[in-house]
Each structure stands twice: as C-alpha cells, then as structure tokens.
Amino acid sequence: MSPNQLGFYTLLKKEVMRFWSVLGQTVTAPVLTALLYLLVFAQALQGRVVTGYEGVSYTQFLLPGLVMMTVLQNAFANTSSSLAQSKVNGNIVFLLMAPIGPVEMFLAYVSAALVRALLVALAMLLVAGPLVGLPVAHPLALLAMFLLAGSALAVLGMIAGIVSTKFDHLAAFSNFIITPLSFLSGVFYSVHSLPEPWFSASHLNPFFYMIDGFRYGFFGHGDVSIWLSLGWTAGFFILMATICLWMLVTGYKLRK
C-alpha cells in the first residue's frame, strides 16, 4: 500500500469515527427532525395537497423529499464542520504535513460524508418507509441520485470549510444557501403547483433536480425527466469538484 493510499484510509477512518463518536447528534437528531416534519406536514396537509402523481398519497410524496433533504444537509455538515474545526483549532497543519495527496484527501472527506448520509437515509426509510408504504420503482436511479447529490453537497461543504475562517462564516453558508435551497426545492410540494415566476425559478435550483430525481426512483415519475435531474446533479458535482480540487492543489486558504 502506497503512502497516499494509507493516508486515504487513515483520514477516512478518522472522519467516520469523528461523527460516529457522537452518533446521537450526527445521525439520530436529524432523523428525528425529519420525522417530525413528516408527522406535522402529513397531518396538516394530507388530503389538501395534490401531489400530481396518480395513486401517490401526500405522505408518500413527502417522505422521499425529506430523506434527500436530510442527506444533502448532513453531507454538507460533515465535511464543512470537520474542515472548519480543523482550521479554527489550528490542527489542519497536521493534515497538510501528512503523506496524502489532494485527490486522496478529497475522496476521504467525500466518502465519510456519504457514509453519514447513508446512515441517516437508511434510518429514516427503515422507520417511516413501512408505515407510509413506499414503493421502489427504480433502485438504480435511487442509488445514482444518492451518490451524485450526496457527493455534490459533501464537496460544497469542503469548499465552505476551506473558505470559512470562523464558525460564523460556516453558519452563513448553512443559513443563507443550504437551508433556503433545500426548502425551495419541492420537498413539501410539487413545483407544478407554483405560479410564475416561481415555477421557472425552481428549475434554476440544483437541489430541485436532486430531490425530484430521488423521488423518481421511488415512484417512476417526477416533475422533470430523470435524465435532466441526473444531468443537472452531475454537472453541479463536476463544477463543485473542480473548484474544490483546485483549492486543495493550490492550498487556497489552507496554507498561510
């Protein structure tokens, strides 16, 4: 095993153990929050909201969106909090001195974030899926959307962690970018119910395609084509990955 490979596995293990040691905070808490959203909105809006999907109840429509929203938020939180904490505490220097290249560092952070996101998604689906009666029409589409969307937000989290010099900056990313884009992405409604210009504006939100494509995996149809959702999500991931790898290679805001 080369030094870079060893560095990759070591950093991956360190990142997984970091969130595993506080599993109640990193996995259980977001699952409970999402289930509360499901309970409240399902009780309040069941029978009053038209999903646009034939034979799909509002509760069934809601659950996949909540799962993907939680995946996106946790993938972002895992990488952004880790890098920001390392920079603020000053121990980022030990990572930069380690025998690990930018690509291996990139892959280790993204992989750990996907592990956390997968745990959250599985917990939600195992608890709420049987109660809601959620079908699975296209498992490969589910897997593809999970990997692409989770990786994209993990990389965005790395970018946020790199550019943030204090936790206030990280909170701004979450409060003004991640949360608004998540809530305005069609999690709680079909975008076809929106008037103009909000209907058109929703199609400029990359989170919309992530959630709609994930929902397609369960029901076999969505508000847009699955190929459009995959294309938008893949394009967003490639853009974020290019920026992040440039930062890692050049040491932007990592090396003083």
Side-chain angles (χ1 to χ4, degrees):
M1 184 181 293
S2 68
N4 277 11
Q5 289 176 322
L6 180 61
F8 163 77
Y9 288 116
T10 303
L11 180 57
L12 174 59
K13 180 180 179 181
K14 175 254 182 186
E15 285 299 304
V16 171
M17 293 304 298
R18 188 183 72 87
F19 76 77
W20 193 271
S21 62
V22 285
L23 206 63
Q25 175 184 341
T26 55
V27 175
T28 306
V31 169
L32 289 177
T33 300
L35 291 177
L36 284 173
Y37 276 126
L38 179 66
L39 177 64
V40 171
F41 278 88
Q43 290 297 318
L45 298 178
Q46 179 72 39
R48 303 181 185 181
V49 176
V50 178
T51 66
Y53 299 172
E54 184 178 354
V56 177
S57 69
Y58 179 66
T59 308
Q60 289 175 317
F61 174 86
L62 183 59
L63 181 56
L66 285 174
V67 172
M68 179 50 78
M69 183 180 76
T70 308
V71 163
L72 299 178
Q73 292 176 343
N74 278 268
F76 174 86
N78 200 72
T79 52
S80 62
S81 61
S82 180
L83 277 167
Q85 188 174 27
S86 294
K87 288 182 65 179
V88 171
N89 293 340
N91 55 33
I92 189 71
V93 64
F94 299 112
L95 178 60
L96 298 175
M97 293 173 61
I100 181 172
V103 174
E104 290 78 15
M105 188 186 302
F106 174 89
L107 292 175
Y109 275 110
V110 171
S111 299
L114 287 176
V115 172
R116 174 174 168 179
L118 180 62
L119 289 175
V120 171
L122 288 178
M124 288 186 63
L125 291 173
L126 288 173
V127 172
L131 300 176
V132 172
L134 201 61
V136 178
H138 298 286
L140 289 180
L142 276 180
L143 179 61
M145 290 306 303
F146 168 80
L147 291 175
L148 282 172
S151 298
L153 266 292
V155 178
L156 181 59
M158 290 184 69
I159 294 173
I162 290 171
V163 301
S164 298
T165 56
K166 53 185 178 180
F167 290 116
D168 287 348
H169 296 160
L170 201 59
F173 267 94
S174 181
N175 294 334
F176 297 111
I177 298 177
I178 304 303
T179 299
L181 290 180
S182 297
F183 277 82
L184 298 175
S185 59
V187 173
F188 303 101
Y189 54 85
S190 169
V191 295
H192 287 293
S193 64
L194 297 177
E196 290 289 356
W198 305 113
F199 174 77
S200 298
S202 295
H203 289 73
L204 301 177
N205 180 359
F207 286 28
F208 159 70
Y209 297 96
M210 298 175 189
I211 288 171
D212 195 66
F214 191 69
R215 195 173 271 142
Y216 171 90
F218 288 100
F219 305 121
H221 45 80
D223 288 328
V224 296
S225 163
I226 181 59
W227 298 110
L228 186 59
S229 295
L230 286 169
W232 261 82
T233 308
F236 185 71
F237 167 71
I238 292 170
L239 175 62
M240 294 297 103
T242 301
I243 296 172
C244 183
L245 284 169
W246 173 80
M247 289 178 169
L248 294 175
V249 170
T250 61
Y252 177 78
K253 290 212 170 183
L254 291 174
R255 298 185 179 93
K256 294 183 179 179

